[in-house]
């Protein structure tokens, strides 16, 4: 029963601010996505309209780092499930990328276009401060570098900032995805040549746009879509792209599908309709369920596990925390390992006739338990 999370039950009289933070780990444990999270908090502030969830999945390898997603989820339970799935993904992402970081993620239930007020962000910054460094955050869907700067001015544990930070992680994520697409092509076709191949890109935000630029430069033909029709039209012009309606992008015919919007786009409902040879994109939690990778394998579709191919942004923001300080060259070196890791996953998957995401999870668990 989710009524226990209603704001009136979360107020603590002792708080001098209108923000109240509750430990909702026990409640979150009832959801199928829980997967042994260490801690989950909910911050509410009626004055600013803040409802934020911070989920810490696993800190065995280091402190939990994960982006903050600002999105108008249809219910609190949907937002909590999103936070839990994203946070778990961060544990695996850090482990596979060889980073000394744990997995965590935050979700603020708000419309990033109209609901992201200074009051809301101030209140969220206070939540971050009061968690006393148990969670380090950066950008995700709905949160920009300017937002990160705003938060950093009010809370210490924010990375991906412009002033003295590593800046926007999205170009690094896009670069990793681009290299990952080439690795998938090399594995499948024996060549990473993109010229003349069609890539369907879903979501033309920070990562999707930057990815389109790289693909277009290499001669790929693009089919693009975004919920924002103006962005789709802009991409059509910029990349001489074909367009699809957002609900049709999964059924277009293309060599590669690059999901760069939200999660859950690959499911047992959509898999029979897919006409792609490769799925390789930036979105977190592309599969509605873990078992969907087996269905993809049975259909002969090569799936690049999301948390492996999209680790570029995390590698970049994590570099801010290194004792040597942020070094873009070191970042590019680490990022260049993404295609090799993917190639190893593809190879093992083929050899062992097991889905790529099972192999990726195995690699992550080996590193976490080492
Ligand atoms: P963004 O907010 O900049 O862009 C997301 C875009 O997707 C928006 O333009 C939105 O309108 C569009 N969109 C949402 N739902 C859609 C749908 N159903 N159909 C078509 N378009 C849709 O976000 P981003 O930073 O580009 O991130 C994109 C994805 O990559 C997210 O899943 C994010 O979690 C993941 N990711 C991002 C980074 C990063 O560095 N930014 C790193 C790792 C993973």
């Amino acid at each position: 029963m989710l009524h226990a999370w209603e704001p009136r039950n979360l107020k603590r009289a002792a708080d001098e601010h209108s923000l109240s933070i509750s430990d909702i780990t026990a409640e979150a444990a009832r959801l199928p996505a829980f997967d042994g999270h260490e801690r989950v908090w909910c911050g509410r502030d009626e004055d600013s309209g803040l409802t934020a969830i911070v989920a810490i999945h696993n800190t065995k390898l280091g402190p939990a780092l994960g982006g903050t997603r600002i999105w108008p989820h249809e219910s609190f339970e949907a937002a909590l499930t999103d936070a839990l799935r994203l946070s778990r993904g961060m544990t695996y992402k850090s482990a596979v990328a060889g980073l000394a970081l744990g997995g965590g993620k935050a979700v603020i239930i708000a419309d990033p276009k109209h609901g992201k007020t200074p009051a809301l962000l101030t209140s969220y910054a206070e939540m971050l401060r009061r968690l006393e460094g148990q969670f380090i955050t950066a950008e995700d869907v709905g949160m920009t570098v300017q937002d990160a700067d705003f938060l950093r001015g009010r809370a210490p544990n924010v990375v991906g900032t412009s002033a003295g930070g590593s800046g926007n992680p999205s170009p690094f994520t896009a670069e990793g995805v681009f290299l990952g697409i080439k690795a998938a092509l090399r594995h499948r076709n024996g060549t990473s040549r993109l010229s003349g191949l069609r890539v369907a890109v879903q979501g033309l935000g920070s990562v999707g746009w930057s990815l389109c630029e790289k693909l277009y430069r290499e001669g790929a033909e693009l089919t693009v879509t975004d919920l924002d029709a103006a962005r789709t039209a802009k991409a059509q012009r910029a990349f001489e792209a074909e367009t699809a309606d957002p609900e049709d992008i999964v059924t277009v015919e293309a060599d590669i599908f690059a999901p760069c919007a939200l999660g859950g786009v690959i499911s047992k409902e959509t898999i029979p309709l897919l006409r792609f040879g490769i799925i390789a994109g930036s979105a977190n939690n592309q599969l509605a369920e873990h078992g969907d990778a087996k269905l993809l394998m049975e259909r002969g579709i090569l799936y690049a596990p999301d948390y492996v191919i999209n680790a570029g942004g995390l590698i970049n923001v994590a570099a801010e925390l290194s004792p040597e300080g942020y070094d873009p060259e070191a970042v590019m070196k680490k990022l260049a390992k993404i295609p090799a890791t993917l190639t190893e996953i593809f190879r093992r998957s083929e050899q062992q006739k097991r889905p790529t995401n099972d192999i990726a999870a195995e690699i992550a668990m080996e590193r976490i338990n080492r």
Side-chain angles (χ1 to χ4, degrees), residues 177-189 191-192 278 302 338-340 342-343 346:
V177 172
F178 179 67
L179 297 176
I181 286 177
K182 293 189 121 194
L185 281 173
R186 207 174 302 113
H187 179 79
R188 214 357 96 92
N189 303 341
T191 162
S192 58
I278 291 169
L302 183 62
I338 291 176
L342 282 171
T343 303
F346 296 149

Side-chain angles (χ1 to χ4, degrees), residues 250-256 270-278 299 301:
V250 284
T251 55
V252 303
E253 192 169 357
D255 300 283
I256 300 153
T270 58
I271 289 171
L273 310 172
L274 302 182
R275 294 187 290 163
F276 315 114
I278 291 169
R299 281 218 47 207
I301 299 171

Side-chain angles (χ1 to χ4, degrees), residues 69 140-142 169-170 173 203 205-207 226-227 260-261 282-284 310:
R69 175 168 292 189
D140 190 61
V141 173
S170 306
T173 304
S206 314
V207 182
D226 196 284
L227 288 182
C260 299
S282 76
N284 284 305
N310 73 12

Side-chain angles (χ1 to χ4, degrees), residues 69-71 86 90 93 105 112-113 139-144 168-174 177 201-210 224-229 231-232 244-247 249 259-263 265 281-286 306-307 309-314 317:
R69 175 168 292 189
I70 305 177
W71 196 253
L86 289 164
M90 292 307 295
K93 193 184 301 197
K105 198 87 179 186
K113 272 202 179 137
E139 295 86 344
D140 190 61
V141 173
M143 179 168 150
T144 62
N168 183 1
S170 306
F172 294 88
T173 304
V177 172
V201 182
Q202 180 195 39
L204 301 164
S206 314
V207 182
W209 190 273
S210 176
V224 296
T225 192
D226 196 284
L227 288 182
D228 180 344
R231 245 181 130 63
T232 309
D245 287 335
E247 58 277 12
I249 193 75
C260 299
L262 300 185
V265 64
S282 76
N284 284 305
N285 298 327
Q286 291 166 26
D306 44 17
Y307 56 78
I309 194 169
N310 73 12
L314 174 65
V317 293

Side-chain angles (χ1 to χ4, degrees), residues 48-53 68-76 79 82 106-117 119-121 124 141-143 262:
S48 72
L50 178 78
T51 302
I53 298 159
T68 295
R69 175 168 292 189
I70 305 177
W71 196 253
H73 291 83
E74 63 201 18
S75 65
F76 186 85
D82 201 22
V107 165
I108 297 177
I109 306 175
D111 177 348
K113 272 202 179 137
H114 308 291
K116 205 168 54 177
T117 59
L120 182 117
L121 289 179
Y124 178 56
V141 173
M143 179 168 150
L262 300 185

Side-chain angles (χ1 to χ4, degrees), residues 86-104:
L86 289 164
S87 157
R88 176 181 181 274
M90 292 307 295
T91 300
Y92 284 74
K93 193 184 301 197
S94 290
V96 175
L99 302 170
L101 287 170

Side-chain angles (χ1 to χ4, degrees), residues 45-67:
D45 182 346
E46 280 173 74
D47 294 347
S48 72
L50 178 78
T51 302
I53 298 159
V54 173
I56 308 294
H57 179 247
N58 186 303
T59 54
K60 215 166 164 183
L61 291 180
L65 191 153

